[in-house]
Structures are given as structure tokens and as C-alpha cells.
Amino acid sequence: MSGLIYRDLFTYYRRSSKSTWITEILVFFFFLLAIKGPYSIFTYLLCVMPLTMSGMPTTMKEMDINCKGAVQSVLLPFSSKELVLSRYLAAFLSHLGSVALMLLYSLLHWSIYHTFALTDYFLLILLSWLLGTVFTAVNLLTGYLGDLNASAIMYLIVIAGVLLGYLVMALAGIDFTALFTLNTPFLFLLLFAVTVFITAVCYVISLKKFSSRK
Amino acid sequence: MENILSLQNVTKSYKNFTLDNLSFHVPRGMIFGMIGENGAGKTTTIQSILDIIKTDSGKIEIFGKDHCKDAKEIKQKLGVVMDGLNQNPFLKCSDLDKIMKKIYLNWDSQCFFSYLEKFKLPRDKKIKELSKGMNVKLNFAAALSYHPQLLLLDEATSGLDPVMRDDILEILQEFVTDEQNSVLMSTHITSDLDKIADYILFLHQGKLLFVKSRDAIESYGVLHCTEDFFRALSPEDYDAFLKEEFSYKVLVPDRYAMKTHFDGLLLDRATIEDIMLFYVKGVRTCQD
């Protein structure tokens, strides 16, 4: 199955154009240098990065449809379970690049501005990762349930939802730093459990749908 | 002779089409050509074998194993080239080696790169920049580089020029020379099958019309005759006929025997295309 994961990751990497990388770098420095204060951190870590992380399923769905990747996959010597599981694992493994970028961002931000304690940055990274995982699982599920339009629409809904939620919270004057004063180990354990549950449900439904495709 | 592929009473129904109780066997070491007009069921047959579509009933065995239950094992030894089903366009030709060697146990990098060289395919060019013909060649290079035992080709040579097609046909003939490997190819380019097929399988409206050996196909002839002569023939002497304005064209299964009985006849060797046309457009003596 490692071959399938490698195939998905490698194809995704080849699919990304230079402009994708340049945009990511520009966004990185925009939120690091141009926008200052705690909102730059919250926006970058809690909005931008979870959405970036969850983009792979839509891209892979696009290739499954337009490049007949789905038919190619069925011809490979793997079971339905392996095909679906490898797609999920590849999508989650692709998060590692974003996590590395968030770590770099946090270290640079912390060393330049000292806005929060380093542990608080790490908490935000963890929260971002969990959000990214949920969004990815939902996008993957949509890819198995619907066509390319459904995937694109779901991705847009996730983006709109995140931005709207963030905007409402910011306008309502909700203090994001309150997060650091909560009982964080318990909170993260709970969030982790919810994330695992949502991901597992998405995977099971995806597998059922994929196995009954004919 | 051991069968590498066998279909027994395979049926698949769609709203306007039914692949009806299809049964045939492909022995090892043979090239099976599958012919039939558009919509005859060739692609449905290949997709059923590949488990891309689920059949309603029947049994498909590849290498003596169930095509669904043992799909993983089977697909390690099954090469597939289908018209329009190309490799991911964002990859480079050489990327396929990196990916496939992690997927196929028998992947042979040396063999793959030698095919790239033989087909004059640039290693570092993105697949989306390749022409249709080059894509077909790349598909063959990929399908042959893990040393499959059975090749399934669905209109696979349709994008190739005659020279390249000839090269591919040569490769297919080499592929079956060890008498362990087989090829099942569906194509509209029946002249390719005239050159290499050991057996011809003819599908018409979802039904199997016949499976005939190369020898049987080669003995077919097209008789050009007058109406009087045609009337004098017994229906057992021919398979089908086409009435033309002033004459009859008759498809005879044994042109040698016919020639022995009637001297001086205008009797040509029938190509696979001729046989197909007679069976589809002509009047058959035995309509199943």
C-alpha cells in the first residue's frame, strides 16, 4: 500500500505549479511581516493553514475525474480497502509539510515579536492540525460521495464557513487568547477524540461507497 | 492446453444493452482478437474481466483464480492498455518507474527504460506534453515492464501510425512466444488481427457469434457470382451473402473445398473485416 500512498503524494506534488509554492511563500511572509499582532497568528494558524491542508482531496478528485485516475487505480493490484485507506493516509501525510511550515512560522514569529509563550504557539499548531484533519476528512468523504462539482462546492463551503466563523468571532470580540487559559490537555484530548471519530466515520462511509461503485 | 482466462455464462445488463451469457476460454500462448461493431460488448467484456464493472451473473477466472476474490494477486500479472486511459499527465515518463516499482512486485526498471528508448520517449518530458501516439507507447511500456502473463488491450493501438503499430504487433508476438503468456485484444483495426491473431472472437449485439482459429479464418473466402450460381448453392456451402445490384457476394467457410468443386470461380481470400461485414450486414444462413 505504500506504493499507492507514494503515488498520490508524488502526483499531488507534480500537480502543484510554481505559482502554488510562490503563493504559499507570499502568504507566509504576509502574515509574518506585513500583518502584525495576535490576529496575524490566529488568522494564519487557524484559518489559512487548516484550509491549505485540506486542499489535497479536491485536487486528487479533479485528477480522478479528468485524468481517469479512478479507473487507473482500480486496475492496480490493490483491494478497495487499500485504495481508500491509502488516499486517506496520503492526504493526512501531506499535512506534514504544512505542519513544518507552521512550526517555522511560529518560531520566527516568536523570535521576532514574542507575542505569546512558545507553548501557546504549539497549542495553536495542534489545534490547526486537528481542524485541518477534520476538513480533509470531510473533503475526502465528499470526493467519494459526489462528483467533481460536489467536491469543489464542499471545499468552498469549508472555506466560507471557516472565514465566516472567524470573522463572527473576531467581530463579537471573542478573545482567542482565552484558549491558553483553559484546561488545555482535557480540551485537546476531547478535540482529538472528536477528530478521530469524524475521520473514522468519513472513512467507513467512503469505503462503503467505493466498494459499491459498480 | 491450460486456460489463462475463462468466462462462463457472463451476463451484464444495462438499460439498452445486455452482454448475454458470454462464454469463452483463452489458452496460454495465444493472441485472441475480439471484434464486433461499436456497442457489441467488447469494452463491457474487458471491463467485466478487469472487475471495473460488476457482472450480473457468470464466472470469470484468470490464471485459474476468481477475478474478484483473487483480484490483487491476478492484477500483479495482468497488463492493461485501454484507449484513452493514459498515465497521469502531470507526471514525467521517468516518474512512472519510481511509482510502479513500489506497486508491482515484478517491476523491471531496466526493461521499462529500454522500452522508453526503443519507443523514443523522452524520460524527463511531462506526459501531458506527449502526443497521442507517444502516450499509447508509454502505456505499452508501463504495461509490459512488470512482465505480465496476460495482456488485455482495448482499442490500444488506435492512436498509432502503421509503422509503430507494426512494432507493437511484433512485441505482442514476442510476448506470446514462450507459450505462457496470452493477449486478448479488442480492436477495430482488423488488419492487425489478420497479422497476429491466433483466434478471433466475434461479438454482435452482446452475443458471441463465434470463436474461430486462425486456420479457420484463413480458409474463408468471398465468392463473387451471379444469381443463378448463387441459387444453385446449398446453404451449407456458405455462412452469409450480400446481394448486390447485378451479382451476389457470398462468404464461404472453406474456399479451398469450393475451388475444388467449382473451377474458375472468382473467389478471394476473406479478411477478418470481410467476415465481420458479412455477418453484420449480410444475410446469414444460421441466425442465432
Side-chain angles (χ1 to χ4, degrees):
Chain A
M1 200 172 63
S2 61
L4 277 177
I5 297 170
Y6 181 79
R7 185 185 80 130
D8 276 0
L9 288 172
F10 195 79
T11 319
Y12 183 58
Y13 162 73
R14 283 276 191 243
R15 176 73 177 81
S16 310
S17 58
K18 273 179 197 152
S19 61
T20 315
W21 305 115
I22 293 167
T23 310
E24 281 212 23
I25 293 165
L26 285 176
V27 168
F28 181 91
F29 284 109
F30 177 76
F31 282 102
L32 183 68
L33 303 172
I35 297 190
K36 295 186 176 81
Y39 272 100
S40 68
I41 310 161
F42 294 130
T43 313
Y44 187 71
L45 293 184
L46 298 182
C47 287
V48 176
M49 290 318 283
L51 293 175
T52 307
M53 274 190 247
S54 63
M56 186 188 178
T58 314
T59 308
M60 296 311 287
K61 178 72 182 179
E62 184 255 317
M63 283 194 281
D64 276 353
I65 301 289
N66 294 338
C67 313
K68 297 191 178 170
V71 183
Q72 285 278 12
S73 299
V74 175
L75 299 179
L76 296 174
F78 296 101
S79 63
S80 297
K81 191 180 167 186
E82 285 171 319
L83 289 172
V84 177
L85 186 61
S86 68
R87 177 59 58 89
Y88 269 74
L89 291 176
F92 295 137
L93 279 173
S94 76
H95 291 177
L96 293 178
S98 301
V99 172
L101 207 61
M102 286 194 286
L103 278 171
L104 182 68
Y105 174 88
S106 299
L107 287 173
L108 288 173
H109 199 279
W110 177 77
S111 57
I112 297 169
Y113 305 111
H114 282 285
T115 314
F116 306 117
L118 205 52
T119 48
D120 293 339
Y121 281 99
F122 292 152
L123 277 179
L124 287 175
I125 291 173
L126 210 59
L127 185 61
S128 172
W129 199 352
L130 291 176
L131 282 172
T133 304
V134 171
F135 298 157
T136 304
V138 170
N139 285 335
L140 281 164
L141 174 64
T142 314
Y144 282 104
L145 291 182
D147 58 8
L148 184 55
N149 285 338
S151 292
I153 289 167
M154 178 50 79
Y155 189 49
L156 289 175
I157 288 172
V158 170
I159 292 174
V162 169
L163 293 180
L164 202 69
Y166 184 66
L167 209 65
V168 167
M169 285 164 87
L171 289 176
I174 293 171
D175 184 9
F176 289 99
T177 54
L179 184 73
F180 308 135
T181 59
L182 298 171
N183 184 356
T184 42
F186 172 74
L187 186 74
F188 273 96
L189 219 60
L190 188 71
L191 280 175
F192 181 76
V194 170
T195 304
V196 169
F197 177 73
I198 291 172
T199 307
V201 169
C202 288
Y203 168 72
V204 170
I205 299 171
S206 301
L207 181 58
K208 253 190 164 170
K209 179 71 184 171
F210 185 78
S211 304
S212 63
R213 71 196 181 281
K214 299 157 200 167
Chain B
M1 217 178 318
E2 190 195 344
N3 290 323
I4 200 161
L5 168 69
S6 89
L7 279 80
Q8 282 167 34
N9 306 320
V10 172
T11 300
K12 171 73 185 174
S13 291
Y14 293 105
K15 203 175 171 187
N16 299 315
F17 171 77
T18 300
L19 186 68
D20 199 3
N21 256 326
L22 183 63
S23 299
F24 67 89
H25 309 281
V26 178
R28 282 191 186 269
M30 297 293 164
I31 297 180
F32 248 68
M34 187 156 57
I35 57 167
E37 71 272 33
N38 287 331
K42 302 187 297 294
T43 300
T44 306
T45 304
I46 289 184
Q47 288 183 337
S48 303
I49 295 168
L50 291 170
D51 197 26
I52 294 174
I53 53 170
K54 216 176 190 79
T55 54
D56 300 331
S57 61
K59 194 176 173 190
I60 300 175
E61 282 187 346
I62 309 172
F63 314 123
K65 291 178 174 160
D66 185 275
H67 81 305
C68 289
K69 276 188 215 152
D70 303 302
K72 261 180 84 172
E73 195 187 333
I74 287 168
K75 285 173 184 174
Q76 283 285 354
K77 296 185 279 182
L78 186 66
V80 182
V81 182
M82 295 169 100
D83 183 31
L85 186 64
N86 297 327
Q87 306 298 330
N88 191 299
F90 297 99
L91 297 174
K92 293 175 181 177
C93 294
S94 56
D95 291 342
L96 285 181
D97 175 62
K98 291 177 196 143
I99 293 171
M100 296 301 195
K101 69 181 170 195
K102 291 183 192 300
I103 290 176
Y104 289 100
L105 301 171
N106 285 336
W107 181 260
D108 184 342
S109 298
Q110 212 181 341
C111 174
F112 177 68
F113 286 115
S114 73
Y115 274 123
L116 291 192
E117 239 166 71
K118 185 174 181 167
F119 295 152
K120 298 184 179 68
L121 293 168
R123 286 181 182 211
D124 292 320
K125 206 169 183 178
K126 283 213 169 169
I127 293 170
K128 65 180 170 188
E129 291 164 17
L130 301 180
S131 66
K132 189 182 177 192
M134 287 166 114
N135 261 297
V136 174
K137 288 190 254 179
L138 182 64
N139 292 339
F140 269 99
L144 291 165
S145 296
Y146 51 94
H147 305 297
Q149 291 180 11
L150 175 62
L151 263 185
L152 292 181
L153 313 176
D154 188 12
E155 301 292 345
T157 54
S158 63
L160 294 174
D161 61 66
V163 179
M164 196 59 230
R165 269 207 337 265
D166 203 57
D167 289 346
I168 294 286
L169 297 185
E170 230 170 76
I171 289 171
L172 294 181
Q173 275 180 317
E174 268 172 40
F175 178 74
V176 296
T177 44
D178 67 353
E179 300 195 343
Q180 286 304 304
N181 302 335
S182 299
V183 179
L184 173 65
M185 64 185 290
S186 100
T187 181
H188 286 302
I189 309 169
T190 50
S191 57
D192 286 353
L193 300 178
D194 279 315
K195 289 179 193 163
I196 62 162
D198 298 302
Y199 284 91
I200 295 295
L201 184 154
F202 189 179
L203 284 176
H204 179 57
Q205 293 174 343
K207 287 193 169 102
L208 179 66
L209 278 190
F210 65 68
V211 177
K212 286 186 192 294
S213 70
R214 184 185 188 84
D215 289 345
I217 292 287
E218 275 181 348
S219 67
Y220 265 93
V222 179
L223 169 71
H224 304 261
C225 63
T226 60
E227 187 170 352
D228 291 342
F229 188 90
F230 174 71
R231 297 281 170 223
L233 288 173
S234 155
E236 284 111 55
D237 293 334
Y238 59 89
D239 276 10
F241 69 88
L242 281 164
K243 189 179 182 314
E244 297 192 317
E245 206 173 348
F246 302 109
S247 64
Y248 275 77
K249 275 167 80 177
V250 186
L251 180 71
V252 293
D254 191 346
R255 67 190 154 106
Y256 304 110
M258 181 68 84
K259 257 207 161 139
T260 321
H261 289 109
F262 305 98
D263 207 14
L265 286 177
L266 189 56
L267 192 54
D268 303 324
R269 190 201 147 182
T271 60
I272 293 171
E273 188 173 312
D274 290 329
I275 298 169
M276 193 174 151
L277 286 174
F278 269 100
Y279 267 79
V280 175
K281 293 175 82 178
V283 181
R284 274 183 277 147
T285 47
C286 174
Q287 299 266 3
D288 332 37

